[in-house]
Amino acid sequence: MQRSAPNKDAIPGAVEQEGQCLRLSGSWTLAHYRQLKQSLERQSVPAGDFELRLESIHALDTAGAALLANWLGPERLDKMVTADQALQPERRALLQTVLKALTREPAPPVPVASPLIEALAYLGRQTEVVFRHFWELSGFIGLVLQTLFSIVLRPWRWRMTALVNQIHETGFNAVPIVALLTFLVGAVVAFLGATVLGEFGAEIYTVNLVAYAFLREFGVILAAILLAGRTASAFTAQIGSMKANEELDALRTLGLSPMELLVVPRVLALLITLPLLTFVAIISGLAGGALVALISLDIPLGQFFGILADVPLKHYLVGLVKAPLFAFVVAVIGCMEGFKVSGSAESVGRHTTSAVVQSIFMVILLDAIAALFFMEMGW
């Protein structure tokens, strides 16, 4: 019976010293790492200069090369490998690569910034994000205005069906929630006014408080905030879903402009409906105040509306003139965030939330600027 020859790679490596010559043999691989390490620990490193012979090694990998480098020392092994002219080129390259990795200097530690520097860096990043949002909003507003001016003298390009549908969705369907909310807020303002002014015996001025609050501020800002949460989010979700389903690409393929077909009707609808909703909000707020005045302060409705008749008309106009500006900003932000959707359901939700937050922020910011302007103008 003939015996098969033993596998040379199964023989662990060995070290033989013959005078000033150190001969390595066997398999210097990861499979024999433990045996090789124990063998080298029992054998001392030769002193002085000697020759290293590696031609008897059957197999060599990075584990065996690293073990040999740690035993002899990287610099010493490098000199021996360079001097050994009989060494195969691939093994020479392997040994030199391992030696280079072992002698590589560690990366310098990253300096830890102070909390002040981290805070300033964070502030700078957030400032850049806000500036970029304002820059994108300015560019999108310019694109909307360009589209509006390009079709204003071309009646055959007006999308009347889409406009009427958006007026119905954003205006008529929003009347109940706007009326209910402003009625309750009007009642709360009247309660607060009666509580504070009652200490001075001036409950009658609660009527003026409710009138000035809703004519100048509460009517328009409550309606705008409700539209920011209700309508801007709807615009973003609708346009974002169309972009995720590649419907916007289909419109462009058919030669239709998404700005003209989707954005302009929504912007015009909000420009029409928000002033009307502001009027509804003012009437509802005054009705809530009148109810509280009648029940808690014993002010008859005739006297209540008689005091309202003495309020100058300019206060109503100051509140109403801000409605188109708020409507334009809310509609533009809602549509812009819809176009920024990347194509997933998560992106639709993220940009819908961003549209609501940005719209409410811009409404409050513009209202504060308008209040300062009207105060300086004496209006």
Side-chain angles (χ1 to χ4, degrees), residues 182-246:
T182 51
F183 178 85
L184 297 176
V185 173
V188 171
V189 171
F191 270 122
L192 292 176
T195 302
V196 176
L197 296 174
E199 298 180 1
F200 306 96
E203 294 92 342
I204 193 64
Y205 290 104
T206 302
V207 180
N208 301 78
L209 173 64
V210 174
Y212 282 98
F214 274 88
L215 289 176
R216 294 183 66 96
E217 296 294 337
F218 283 172
V220 61
I221 199 170
L222 287 175
I225 289 176
L226 281 173
L227 285 188
R230 182 183 182 274
T231 306
S233 60
F235 288 173
T236 303
Q238 292 166 1
I239 297 177
S241 298
M242 294 180 68
K243 185 176 181 182
N245 295 330
E246 300 182 355

Side-chain angles (χ1 to χ4, degrees), residues 101-365:
L102 292 175
T103 56
R104 182 181 302 166
E105 295 183 1
V110 179
V112 180
S114 64
L116 177 61
I117 298 299
E118 290 290 340
L120 292 176
Y122 177 78
L123 179 62
R125 290 192 296 267
Q126 295 304 313
T127 303
E128 181 184 4
V129 170
V130 172
F131 177 79
R132 186 166 62 249
H133 278 307
F134 276 104
W135 183 261
E136 294 174 352
L137 181 60
S138 301
F140 194 79
I141 288 175
L143 186 59
V144 172
L145 294 177
Q146 177 187 1
T147 307
L148 279 172
F149 292 149
S150 66
I151 67 173
V152 66
L153 299 179
R154 302 175 183 177
W156 60 90
R157 296 179 62 178
W158 296 354
R159 305 289 176 177
M160 297 305 299
T161 303
L163 177 61
V164 172
N165 179 65
Q166 292 300 326
I167 291 175
H168 180 270
E169 292 292 333
T170 62
F172 182 76
N173 291 344
V175 169
I177 184 64
V178 171
L180 176 61
L181 179 66
T182 51
F183 178 85
L184 297 176
V185 173
V188 171
V189 171
F191 270 122
L192 292 176
T195 302
V196 176
L197 296 174
E199 298 180 1
F200 306 96
E203 294 92 342
I204 193 64
Y205 290 104
T206 302
V207 180
N208 301 78
L209 173 64
V210 174
Y212 282 98
F214 274 88
L215 289 176
R216 294 183 66 96
E217 296 294 337
F218 283 172
V220 61
I221 199 170
L222 287 175
I225 289 176
L226 281 173
L227 285 188
R230 182 183 182 274
T231 306
S233 60
F235 288 173
T236 303
Q238 292 166 1
I239 297 177
S241 298
M242 294 180 68
K243 185 176 181 182
N245 295 330
E246 300 182 355
E247 296 178 33
L248 299 183
D249 296 334
L251 290 176
R252 295 188 181 96
T253 303
L254 295 174
L256 301 174
S257 171
M259 294 292 298
E260 184 178 325
L261 190 65
L262 301 175
V263 177
V264 171
R266 286 171 166 80
V267 173
L268 293 178
L270 227 59
L271 286 173
I272 295 172
T273 57
L274 186 54
L276 299 177
L277 290 175
T278 300
F279 177 76
V280 172
I282 292 173
I283 297 300
S284 300
L286 294 177
L291 181 62
V292 172
L294 178 63
I295 295 175
S296 299
L297 304 178
D298 296 326
I299 299 177
L301 294 181
Q303 184 180 3
F304 184 92
F305 289 108
I307 298 174
L308 286 181
D310 295 333
V311 177
L313 181 63
K314 68 175 183 178
H315 299 296
Y316 171 71
L317 297 178
V318 164
L320 198 62
V321 76
K322 295 184 286 187
L325 178 61
F326 292 169
F328 183 79
V329 170
V330 169
V332 166
I333 291 176
C335 295
M336 181 187 70
E337 289 297 319
F339 282 104
K340 290 166 65 176
V341 170
S342 61
S344 62
E346 179 185 0
S347 179
V348 173
R350 184 170 61 253
H351 286 286
T352 300
T353 304
S354 177
V356 174
V357 173
Q358 290 186 53
S359 300
I360 295 176
F361 173 78
M362 289 300 299
V363 165
I364 296 176
L365 177 63

Side-chain angles (χ1 to χ4, degrees), residues 85-102:
Q85 301 298 327
L87 185 61
Q88 295 92 329
E90 61 273 11
R91 291 185 177 174
R92 185 191 305 276
L94 174 62
L95 288 168
Q96 290 177 345
T97 302
V98 172
L99 291 172
K100 186 182 298 184
L102 292 175

